[in-house]
Amino acid sequence: MTIRKAQGEVPVDQTLLDPSSAERSDDDDDAYDDADLSDAGQYRDAESEPLTGEGEGDGRRKDGRRNPEVGGVPPRSKSWARRWLIPTKFGCGLILLFFATVTLLLIAGGMWGLKMSPLDGQSPPWYPSPRGGTEKTWAKSYKKAHALVRQMTLVEKVNVTTGVGWSMGMCVGNTGPVERLGFPSLCLQDGPLGIRFADNITAFPAGVTVGATWNRELMYLRGKAHANEARRKGVNVILGPVVGPLGRTPLGGRNWEGFGSDPVLQAVAAAETIRGIQSEGVIATIKHFVGNEQEHFRQSWEWGRPNAISSNIDDRTLHELYVWPFAESVRAGVGSLMCSYNQVNNSYACQNSKLLNGILKDELGFQGFVQSDWLAQRGGVASALAGLDMNMPGDGLRWSDGKSLWGGELTKAVLNGSVTVERLDDMVTRIVATWYQLEQDDTTKWPELEEGPNFSSWTDEQMGLLHPGSDDKTIGVVNKFVDVQSEGTTKHGDLVRKIGAEGTVLVKNSDDFLPLDRKGPGNIGHPYRVGIFGDDSRNNPKGINSCKDRACSGGTLAMGWGSGAVEYPYLIAPLDALKEAFDQDTVTITSFPRNKLSVKEEKAMREQDLCLVFLSSNAGEGYVGVGDLRGDRNDLQPQNMGASLVKSVVKKCGNGKGDVVVVIHSVGPVLVEDYADIPNVKAILFANLPGQESGNSLVDVLFGEVNPSGRLPYTIGKSVKDYGPAAKIITATKQIVPQQNFSEGLLIDYRHFDYYNITPRYEFGFGLSYTKFQLSSPVLEYKDIPKRPLPYPRSGVLPPPRYDTTIPDPSTALFPAGFRKLRKYVYPYISSIKDISQGKPQYPPGFDVAHPSPLSPAGGGPGGNPDLFNAVAEVKVILSNLGPRDGSSVVQLYVSLPRNYVDEETGEKIDFPVRVLRNWQKIEVKKDGRQEVAMQVTRKDMSYWSTTRQNWVMPTKQGIKIEIGFSSRDIRETLMY
Ligand code: BGC
């Protein structure tokens, strides 16, 4: 039986690797000794400029401590042990011995900050992995999956769980099929704002822009349009949306892929996006679970050291901040979840059993499958037991090494008992059930998926290699150039334009300077002279897609860089849109498309009546740098000398008398202190990252076609220090496992500003309109009387599917006779039965099937205990439009739990943020109109996570404050619950 279509030579066989153990296969020497690892694999070709670094070891913990998550190593064959002793490997042994000794000495000396890990900073074990199939909304899919999976052989099951290797298929991730039973290879493709590496697609606005719209419908529609394109390109799984990073630090390189620095904003936006994506039959992936809040050190080897950073997050903060959006994604039915590169509490997120088994699969009741971020899997057995269901892209500890930790190694692990048959069955069933859940088996409903991907991530040519990562030279038609951008009323570009305009936040508008008149103000005795300044005003002269994965500076910024970027089909630059928008008979436009102006240009600047200045601030994913930026931002200033440009324009525009409008395209907050208070700076707009229709979206707002209704999805402080210590990116450390303690707990972004009473420049939730709104007549209705501190006990769930758990005959897993293997291609087969080691498997501490970890009282339904999502109150308020035009407002609901609160049962003193966003409604009201706004508040909204009770607790003895307003600092009405 042949499983893979690909044929070639076998990759070097290796022992199932466990990065926490001090043992390894000698076949890996080359990988470990190569200090100059690059992540070039993320690019499509070899011309990339990846980060490189000095290797420091062998990819696993060297601190001598035993990682509680990993523990057991699979039994190894005698030949493996013997190999350690043979002289040819003596050099390698010496190196390891050296590292081990150095590490022990360092620990003994208490150096290198290993002692910095919090005392209780290790993630507790949670085993065995809860099986899927317990939730009634998934019951039919699980039934079908059971019927299919029970027919699968061991290697067929393994094939479904394992990626075939980087660039072995057309997509960034490709799994193995089970052709015999009609289960396809799945195509997994980035990313959150469009289809990466594809032609004829749409470059949608980035997550941060969508967050800034606060418009649930647009969030849904963007997801839907994106997935519509993905399906027509043959993509099964979209690698988005992003809610991690959450935005702990405003400098975080990938914050822009998510929706803003608040868990509820992220949660709602993600849930709507997921619903939109999945309404088109495409599986959404919520990522990155969890704590990947900075790019520096996010990933093993990328930053010159073997281990990824450990985000040390306490249980309460994890629940109330970082896991919250993932919970809502599960509630929205998300099919897949991607675990992150980093460690959490010193255990890799993709093998952290507390996170995956405990929180995600038990407490949140996740029914879909967990896939690893690309190479975030650092152990084979450990990750399987901890709840990982699919490894991506299939390779091992290094890019494109073909030495999978699963594939044949997983087959061995099942055959030698290290991974239970039950666990493997659950992994496969979860993947297959998700495929059924999205009805991808229905070829009449989604015919495009039957054909597989019709584009190649690796070439723009029509003909190309079918398995470019291997030695196979077979070519075929790989790009069919299917245009998926849609036409007419459903043209996706129109949606982009709309989101871009609604995601533009007007933060200053002195004397109602905006909207502009296309003809200029008139009556000034000469044509209205408009100067347009800045590199960000026009397109990159080298081409809009000239930098790989958009990693460059130059030209207007409409998306950040990295795997979350796409090829622009076109990009409307602000300058071009403005030239079109102004009336050429009455307005003269002069363009100054640079950040550093010549003397002549400075002189010309003095002759302008209106100066529009464009600034930008870029960031992206850590596998590539731009100038001195290594993923994360270095500061909150505009980049490329934008700060001096704006200062100069403000001073000299119209000889100091000209009007100035500042437009900022950025990945997050940018400081405006240098000019925000200067009177001739009439308007400031945060246009975020608008996607391909950038200029059109902006023009719609500037000229009043669209009344601005964007609200800040983050706080704009007066300095980076205002954000507190959490803002600091760890950029240099001698720690072998960089330790990042999230000691600020819940106090990030506006919660920090409010708690420490720091006045921001523009607060979270803030944004101006061309009209005026008012709130009145607030009413609070109780839904749940009497008040109870705890949710009802969790109720029973459906029994998961059962299979025969007998370990299969190893001979069924052998490579078929005469099989031609491709180099580095990942197969599920084993080469010899002798590779199956004998003996009793050792499991990680805490892994005892007879004594499973106790179920969480906070679980029992999708996203958590269903009672948590019951409304306990409803707030109603009247929104009136008192201004000169129609417009939309965002009515925001914040909850403040009682001050000086003592837990009613445990007696613990519990501190709370001043207020937290819990709901909002965006409502359009006609001029002079009024409308009732109703918002529910759930039990979870009014609760905190008690680490002692391990449950959500709602204070019942003291009142809970509910505030309604137009931003986190503009509170108009207060009610008590
Ligand atoms: C990123 C993921 C992405 C994956 C595949 C990783 O480097 O962190 O977000 O989905 O690559 O491109």
Side-chain angles (χ1 to χ4, degrees), residues 221-288:
L221 290 175
R222 170 180 169 269
K224 189 172 171 61
H226 179 187
N228 174 276
E229 298 196 352
R231 199 190 64 242
R232 287 153 69 204
K233 286 280 186 189
V235 173
N236 300 85
V237 184
I238 286 179
L239 302 175
V242 170
V243 295
L246 181 82
R248 173 179 183 254
T249 159
L251 301 169
R254 294 183 79 180
N255 291 358
W256 59 273
E257 293 187 45
F259 305 99
S261 310
D262 176 84
V264 170
L265 182 55
Q266 290 269 12
V268 171
E272 292 298 346
T273 305
I274 289 162
R275 286 188 197 105
I277 291 177
Q278 299 200 156
S279 71
E280 289 284 327
V282 179
I283 299 167
T285 305
I286 192 72
K287 67 187 189 181
H288 308 85

Side-chain angles (χ1 to χ4, degrees), residues 39 42 166 172-173 188-192 196-197 238-240 242 244 254 257 285 287-288 292 295 298-299 302 338-341 371-375 392-393 399 562-564 621-623:
D39 249 22
Q42 273 286 344
W166 180 248
V172 296
L188 295 83
Q189 193 73 1
D190 290 299
R196 186 183 183 199
F197 293 154
I238 286 179
L239 302 175
V242 170
R254 294 183 79 180
E257 293 187 45
T285 305
K287 67 187 189 181
H288 308 85
N292 188 170
E295 290 305 283
R298 65 169 184 158
Q299 169 173 195
E302 196 176 65
M338 187 190 289
C339 48
S340 53
Y341 282 124
Q371 57 171 294
S372 67
D373 198 344
W374 271 229
L375 259 62
M392 275 293 143
W399 276 104
S563 64
E621 196 174 335
Y623 63 85

